[in-house]
Amino acid sequence: MPGLWQLVKVPKPSGPGQIFVGAWTVPRDRCSVVLKVQAAEGAVSGMREAVVVGRVGLDTYFSPHPYDPQLRSPLPYHAADLPEWDAHFPTHPLTLVRQTLARVGATAVLDDRFRALPPFTGPAPDGRAPAEAPRRRWWQKR
């Protein structure tokens, strides 16, 4: 079934470091299934970034975000975020989240009742939400 794979990084609310949050979202017409995983850097943070900047050089370390080159963020897009560095940092939180998302995406099994729900089609052409139909939860008997 089609699903959305998402991986974001956010600053830790207290102290240095980052939290990496990944999710698979499988949408249906009026609901979705979301599996979320997250991992935070520990007391020592920035090691991955320091090693990668030392190997690729500061001039190529930072680059525009591939989805929005105009994006300016407190946590910029950089080479250490790329998956090719995961093998060098097998216990880093980013690596662990990315590996977990890959494993789940390859092995997850959705209930047939969920799979049978109408597909997500997006917003109505005029931008308004479709009229509400009587709601029946997918797990309830007909």
Side-chain angles (χ1 to χ4, degrees):
M1 294 192 76
L4 173 69
W5 183 92
Q6 183 180 30
L7 180 57
V8 296
K9 61 182 178 179
V10 295
K12 286 174 73 173
S14 61
Q18 302 174 89
I19 300 170
F20 300 91
V21 182
W24 272 111
T25 302
V26 180
R28 300 313 283 159
D29 182 42
R30 300 198 187 277
C31 63
S32 63
V33 168
V34 178
L35 176 85
K36 181 177 123 179
V37 294
Q38 66 185 43
E41 290 181 312
V44 176
S45 65
M47 185 65 69
R48 179 179 177 132
E49 292 82 359
V51 170
V52 173
V53 77
R55 292 192 184 171
V56 302
L58 194 55
D59 55 331
T60 58
Y61 181 74
F62 292 103
S63 60
H65 195 283
Y67 302 125
D68 183 358
Q70 303 305 316
L71 180 69
R72 299 294 175 254
S73 167
L75 296 176
Y77 182 78
H78 54 71
D81 291 337
L82 298 173
E84 48 262 38
W85 293 102
D86 288 353
H88 299 279
F89 304 94
T91 61
H92 189 274
L94 175 57
T95 302
L96 299 175
V97 167
R98 199 172 355 241
Q99 287 175 343
T100 301
L101 287 176
R103 191 170 49 253
V104 167
T107 61
V109 177
L110 296 170
D111 188 281
D112 288 337
R113 294 169 293 182
F114 178 79
R115 294 174 60 87
L117 293 172
F120 176 73
T121 57
D126 63 4
R128 293 184 306 153
E132 282 291 320
R135 298 189 62 115
R136 181 186 65 80
R137 304 291 184 210
W138 63 269
W139 64 85
Q140 293 174 327
K141 294 183 180 180
R142 293 179 184 215

